[in-house]
């Protein structure tokens, strides 16, 4: 992927309750940093959990996404994060009236003429917890832990 990067598009449903909702976000192989206006505050526990994991760019994004509360129907913050990332990398994006987002990344490194790659996933998160757990999915980040 590093030497031959076709155009990349990530396809993700905005919410599980909306049939056909989709989000497209680019995948990059060159590494990234979340240095833009919409980057979330990453809790120390989450930062420590991904520290030293490779590829670090992937785990950095995972930590950022885990830090953004986003139950179904309340994906605005995570969509802002994705649009901010796209803007910081000069990637064009489009959003429809339902809140579905498309971000495109041109192919590079010899993959300019390769067929596009499409990856799919959801931007919302499942909001299930044990009754005795004190967690507010509207406001609390998911705290990551590294199991040794």
């Amino acid at each position: 992927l590093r030497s031959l990067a076709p155009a990349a598009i990530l396809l993700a449903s905005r919410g599980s309750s909306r049939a056909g909702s989709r989000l497209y976000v680019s995948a990059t192989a060159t590494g990234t940093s979340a240095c833009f206006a919409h980057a979330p505050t990453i809790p120390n526990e989450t930062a420590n959990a991904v520290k030293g994991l490779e590829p670090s760019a992937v785990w950095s994004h995972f930590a950022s996404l885990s830090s953004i509360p986003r139950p179904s129907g309340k994906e605005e913050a995570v969509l802002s994060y994705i649009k901010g990332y796209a803007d910081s990398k000069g990637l064009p994006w489009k959003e429809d009236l339902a809140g579905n987002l498309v971000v495109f990344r041109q192919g590079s490194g010899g993959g300019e003429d390769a067929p596009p790659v499409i990856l799919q996933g959801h931007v919302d998160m499942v909001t299930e917890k044990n009754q005795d757990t004190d967690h507010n999915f509207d406001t609390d980040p998911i705290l990551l832990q590294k199991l040794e």
Side-chain angles (χ1 to χ4, degrees):
L1 184 59
R2 287 186 190 278
S3 61
L4 177 65
I9 303 169
L10 171 63
L11 163 65
S13 298
R14 183 168 187 261
S16 58
S17 62
R18 297 179 185 199
S21 297
R22 296 198 162 78
L23 161 81
Y24 297 76
V25 181
S26 78
T28 64
T30 57
T32 58
S33 69
C35 298
F36 48 89
H38 301 286
T41 300
I42 299 173
N44 288 335
E45 184 175 352
T46 294
N48 290 334
V50 300
K51 185 177 181 180
L53 297 178
E54 295 294 334
S56 61
V58 170
W59 290 105
S60 175
H61 284 301
F62 185 70
S64 293
L65 289 169
S66 297
S67 300
I68 302 170
R70 57 191 189 285
S72 293
K74 299 178 181 178
E75 299 93 349
E76 295 81 12
V78 73
L79 292 173
S80 290
Y81 169 79
I82 294 166
K83 288 184 271 190
Y85 176 79
D87 289 342
S88 76
K89 298 297 180 184
L91 302 173
W93 57 267
K94 296 178 185 179
E95 187 173 14
D96 68 13
L97 295 175
N100 302 306
L101 184 64
V102 179
V103 179
F104 302 92
R105 180 188 175 274
Q106 185 61 35
S108 63
E112 293 83 357
D113 296 322
V117 174
I118 300 174
L119 308 172
Q120 194 273 335
H122 290 260
V123 296
D124 65 335
M125 63 182 175
V126 176
T127 55
E128 294 289 325
K129 64 177 183 170
N130 296 333
Q131 275 188 326
D132 61 344
T133 302
D134 183 27
H135 186 89
N136 182 336
F137 283 100
D138 288 338
T139 59
D140 297 341
I142 299 297
L143 298 176
L144 303 180
Q145 298 177 350
K146 186 188 317 184
L147 303 177
E148 300 293 334

